[in-house]
């Protein structure tokens, strides 16, 4: 779900561009919201003891990133969703929890031209504590752990 925002001079073109980006981000949030609601509906029927939801956010939602307005907007929406659902899940499961992982740059299947620029990657990695770009399986393993009983207080 990423696209680059182009510079436009015409107000009508700008309005169309903003509308398209908001629609893309909105679709993402609607899908995530529907998935979470289905999870909570199932939990209501079956009960739970330590149920967990984990969402994958992005530092783009915190710091912004040129050319990724729709992505950053959608990921920022996850903060509000997580903050709300953490209060709702405990009514169904007193030990239930909701977490939001917020990784930085991550190498995924999404075509991102920046990941092919080794000089840029080296510079970006220097701003990160581990000095490396995350891999998708790094984030997936963290999400699995957060949903496990081992993370019952996280």
């Amino acid at each position: 779900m990423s696209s680059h925002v182009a510079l436009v001079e015409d107000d009508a073109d700008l309005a169309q561009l903003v509308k398209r980006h908001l629609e893309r981000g909105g679709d993402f949030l609607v899908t995530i919201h529907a998935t979470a609601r289905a999870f909570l509906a199932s939990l209501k029927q079956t009960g739970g003891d330590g149920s967990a939801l984990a969402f994958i956010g992005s530092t783009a939602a915190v710091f912004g990133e040129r050319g990724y307005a729709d992505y950053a907007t959608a990921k920022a929406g996850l903060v509000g969703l997580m903050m709300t659902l953490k209060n709702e899940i405990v009514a169904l499961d007193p030990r239930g929890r909701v977490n939001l992982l917020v990784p930085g740059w991550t190498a995924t299947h999404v075509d991102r031209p920046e990941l092919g620029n080794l000089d840029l990657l080296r510079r970006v990695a220097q701003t990160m504590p581990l000095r490396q770009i995350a891999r998708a399986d790094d984030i997936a393993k963290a999400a699995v752990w957060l949903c496990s009983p081992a993370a019952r207080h996280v």
Side-chain angles (χ1 to χ4, degrees):
M1 182 189 110
S2 75
S3 64
H4 295 278
V5 176
L7 294 176
V8 293
E9 295 179 20
D10 181 273
D11 286 345
D13 288 344
L14 179 60
Q16 238 354 73
L17 186 66
V18 169
K19 181 179 180 225
R20 187 184 77 223
H21 285 292
L22 290 176
E23 286 171 350
R24 287 181 182 170
D27 289 347
F28 170 78
L29 287 173
V30 167
T31 301
I32 295 297
H33 189 267
T35 301
R37 287 284 163 213
F39 175 83
L40 293 176
S42 175
L43 183 60
K44 186 175 183 177
Q45 290 180 351
T46 62
D49 185 27
S51 304
L53 274 170
F55 297 115
I56 311 297
S58 171
T59 55
V62 178
F63 302 110
E65 193 168 329
R66 181 178 172 201
Y68 292 91
D70 55 340
Y71 181 80
T73 301
K75 293 297 188 172
L78 289 176
V79 175
L81 183 60
M82 186 256 323
M83 296 300 285
T84 300
L85 293 180
K86 73 171 178 61
N87 296 320
E88 293 182 12
I89 196 171
V90 295
L92 303 172
D93 178 355
R95 291 187 173 96
R97 60 202 186 280
V98 181
N99 285 289
L100 173 62
L101 287 87
V102 184
W105 282 31
T106 305
T108 68
H109 68 282
V110 175
D111 180 27
R112 186 166 177 168
E114 297 91 339
L115 292 176
N117 183 335
L118 295 180
D119 184 50
L120 176 62
L121 290 180
R122 276 192 218 90
R123 288 193 323 260
V124 168
Q126 290 303 308
T127 68
M128 300 173 178
L130 295 178
R131 305 288 191 251
Q132 62 185 353
I133 305 297
R135 295 183 318 258
D137 66 319
D138 296 327
I139 310 309
K141 288 174 185 175
V144 168
W145 181 81
L146 280 172
C147 290
S148 77
R152 68 187 181 97
H153 265 284
V154 179

